[in-house]
């Protein structure tokens, strides 16, 4: 028995977090056992690594290795056991974020990222990735109303343009896994798109 692995992606300010709980509620109401988690993080060790990645200055390779170290621990301790039990795992960001932020944003070598991906997760990939996409300017406006910015949220518009383009490249590489959500629209319209994606898979 293998559960479903659903990931949520997008640039900071896309508004994905508010919808993850709603997806969990909907799937639970349909009888699924649902685990909600996030990256970097999801275990005590990975949450400590998250603190470092979000707040300590470091070079891009160090950042990349810490993100993958956190992911390794998270996969072993939480994601893989849950999927083995047949649970549905909802993960707020996963490896696409590494390709987007460390690859697109910071310029890490995509070939190296692909190697690390293979080492850390083998062939495991999400069954579905909801990519909350919107223009970088709009995301910046939404972020301006939110709390204090971490190391990523302090980056400029061009950084987020590169992150967005890298998400698009990931989607182009495996289009069957991705659902692009138009996150520029109002919250209800965003939720409708998510509902359609779940219905299309009979989830
Ligand atoms: P985010 O998921 O937006 O959480 P919050 O809603 O609490 O701000 O923040 C996590 C940050 O980590 C986000 O800016 C993207 C970054 N990140 C990476 O750079 N690489 C990764 O592999 C992952 C998973 C996240």
């Amino acid at each position: 028995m293998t559960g479903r692995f659903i990931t949520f992606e997008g640039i900071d300010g896309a508004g994905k977090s508010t919808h993850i709980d709603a997806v969990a509620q909907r799937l639970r109401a349909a009888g699924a056992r649902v685990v909600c988690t996030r990256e970097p993080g999801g275990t005590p060790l990975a949450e400590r690594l998250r603190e470092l990645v979000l707040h300590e200055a470091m070079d891009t390779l160090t950042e990349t290795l810490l993100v993958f170290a956190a992911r390794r621990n998270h996969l072993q301790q939480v994601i893989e056991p849950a999927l083995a039990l047949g649970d549905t795992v909802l993960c707020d960001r996963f490896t696409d974020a590494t390709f987007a932020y460390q690859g697109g944003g910071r310029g890490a070598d995509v070939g190296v990222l692909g190697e690390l991906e293979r080492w850390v997760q083998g062939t495991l990939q999400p069954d579905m990735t909801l990519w909350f996409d919107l223009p970088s300017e709009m995301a910046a406006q939404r972020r301006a109303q939110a709390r204090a910015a971490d190391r990523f949220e302090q980056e400029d518009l061009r950084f987020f343009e590169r992150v967005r383009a890298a998400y698009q490249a990931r989607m182009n590489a495996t289009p069957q896994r991705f659902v692009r959500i138009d996150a520029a629209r109002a919250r209800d319209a965003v939720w409708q798109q998510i509902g359609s994606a779940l219905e299309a898979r009979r989830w």
Side-chain angles (χ1 to χ4, degrees), residues 149-184:
D150 61 37
R151 283 177 65 234
F152 297 99
E153 291 162 347
Q154 288 163 12
E155 294 288 346
D156 62 14
L157 273 184
R158 281 172 310 176
F159 176 88
F160 285 103
E161 283 300 330
R162 294 196 300 277
V163 172
R164 187 184 185 199
Y167 273 126
Q168 182 70 61
R170 284 288 275 184
M171 175 160 173
N172 295 346
T174 50
Q176 66 288 353
R177 170 164 73 83
F178 273 88
V179 178
R180 181 185 168 277
I181 304 291
D182 181 358

Side-chain angles (χ1 to χ4, degrees), residues 26 47 61 67 73 107 115-116 119 134 153 183 187 202:
R26 181 185 158 128
E47 289 290 333
L61 184 55
V67 161
N73 188 246
E115 282 291 305
L116 290 168
W119 269 80
L134 83 175
E153 291 162 347
R187 186 176 295 193
R202 301 188 191 286

Side-chain angles (χ1 to χ4, degrees), residues 12 39-40 50 67 71 93 98 101-102 147 152-153:
D12 295 271
E39 290 215 342
R50 176 190 179 94
V67 161
R71 180 162 301 133
R93 300 190 184 282
T98 313
Y101 282 79
Q102 281 66 50
R147 70 247 173 283
F152 297 99
E153 291 162 347

Side-chain angles (χ1 to χ4, degrees), residues 4-9 16-17 19-21 24 28 34-44 46-47 50 70-71 73-83 87-94:
R4 296 172 196 134
F5 183 24
I6 306 176
T7 60
F8 298 76
E9 297 282 358
K16 64 185 162 47
S17 302
H19 290 288
I20 297 177
D21 285 345
R28 282 186 184 123
V34 179
V35 175
C36 288
T37 187
R38 68 171 181 182
E39 290 215 342
T43 69
E47 289 290 333
R50 176 190 179 94
R71 180 162 301 133
N73 188 246
H74 188 209
L75 278 164
Q76 268 202 316
Q77 304 282 319
V78 175
I79 298 176
E80 288 173 355
L83 293 176
D87 294 356
T88 295
V89 176
L90 305 184
C91 195
D92 187 349
R93 300 190 184 282
F94 192 62

